[in-house]
Amino acid sequence: MWLINSSIGRKVIMSVTGIALILFMTFHCCMNLVALFSGEAYNMICELLGANWYAVVATIGLGALAVCHIVYAFILTAQNRRARGDNRYAVTEKPAKVEWASQNMLVLGIIILLGIALHLFNFWYNMMFAELVGMTVAHHPADGFAFIQDTFANPIYVVLYVIWICALWFHLSHGFWSAMQTVGVNGKVWFNRWKAIGLVYVTLLMLCFLIVVLAFAFGCAPSLA
């Protein structure tokens, strides 16, 4: 099957799964903004999602998308390294027109993967997983607002989340337009437009995440009043 066996097919899978994950992050960002203004409203959303069957199915689907994206990222990286062979060691100066993010997508991906693991530990493990297995945790599994407060009261977690958000910005700012190019947005005019749209969209998305982290870290979120 060309989607699996060909280089273009693998890039298509990377692009489609990446776009799907960006859409999920947009939904997640909207949830976080609710927490910024109302703890009760945020907990209502957490209870609605919780360990309900549809939320569990969606989580499994999301996990499958993420695993697929990560696996194909490593496959494509290994493939590119094999294609360059010994020539990759002969380059002593990086091309000026190649973005830093493009040159370091694997490193950024590893940082993002570690950030996902941290985020799952702080929230999913204490919420959905705890509810599914009946595990006792610090707060009620649906009290996501309390877990947000606990997490960002820890300066170490705050620093790690800021690093994670920065890595996500670099990764997505390159990945967005790269995905659009792969799925067929060619032509200089529309490609440049999508590149600009992607940069603005990803920047606003990451700024929203960052604002939530810092607002809770410094205790100035309106929902804390």
Side-chain angles (χ1 to χ4, degrees):
M1 186 177 178
W2 74 273
L3 275 175
I4 298 174
N5 297 326
S6 72
S7 177
I8 296 175
R10 295 187 188 106
K11 288 180 180 178
V12 168
I13 291 175
M14 277 280 293
S15 300
V16 172
T17 55
I19 292 170
L21 290 171
I22 290 175
L23 291 175
F24 166 74
M25 289 183 66
T26 302
F27 166 74
H28 195 358
C29 182
C30 292
M31 276 189 63
N32 287 4
L33 291 176
V34 171
L36 193 63
F37 294 100
S38 174
E40 290 183 4
Y42 181 75
N43 283 346
M44 283 177 62
I45 298 172
C46 291
E47 190 169 357
L48 178 65
L49 297 176
N52 297 307
W53 69 268
Y54 47 84
V56 174
V57 170
T59 301
I60 293 171
L62 179 64
L65 284 173
V67 169
C68 188
H69 190 78
I70 293 165
V71 168
Y72 274 83
F74 278 102
I75 291 173
L76 284 170
T77 300
Q79 177 183 303
N80 291 336
R81 286 177 177 269
R82 283 198 303 270
R84 288 197 300 268
D86 294 334
N87 291 333
R88 63 192 172 98
Y89 298 107
V91 179
T92 56
E93 187 174 338
K94 294 180 179 179
K97 292 185 178 180
V98 177
E99 294 181 350
W100 181 88
S102 177
Q103 297 169 347
N104 297 277
M105 287 297 272
L106 181 61
V107 175
L108 290 170
I110 291 172
I111 294 173
I112 291 167
L113 187 58
L114 293 174
I116 291 173
L118 176 66
H119 191 60
L120 288 175
F121 171 74
N122 284 329
F123 294 97
W124 179 81
Y125 175 76
N126 287 299
M127 296 173 71
M128 181 181 283
F129 181 79
E131 189 175 349
L132 284 170
V133 301
M135 183 175 68
T136 301
V137 288
H139 307 286
H140 188 279
D143 193 358
F145 190 74
F147 286 111
I148 290 178
Q149 289 178 283
D150 287 354
T151 299
F152 300 126
N154 186 327
I156 295 176
Y157 283 151
V158 172
V159 171
L160 292 176
Y161 270 83
V162 170
I163 293 172
W164 184 34
I165 291 169
C166 290
L168 278 167
W169 182 85
F170 278 110
H171 186 81
L172 295 178
S173 62
H174 169 78
F176 186 96
W177 67 258
S178 180
M180 298 307 295
Q181 185 180 43
T182 298
V183 298
V185 180
N186 299 315
K188 188 174 181 179
V189 174
W190 269 104
F191 174 72
N192 288 334
R193 287 175 181 174
W194 274 112
K195 193 171 183 178
I197 291 169
L199 182 61
V200 171
Y201 185 83
V202 167
T203 300
L204 290 175
L205 189 64
M206 293 301 105
L207 275 176
C208 288
F209 279 117
L210 185 61
I211 288 170
V212 172
V213 170
L214 296 180
F216 279 94
F218 291 100
C220 58
S223 55
L224 297 174

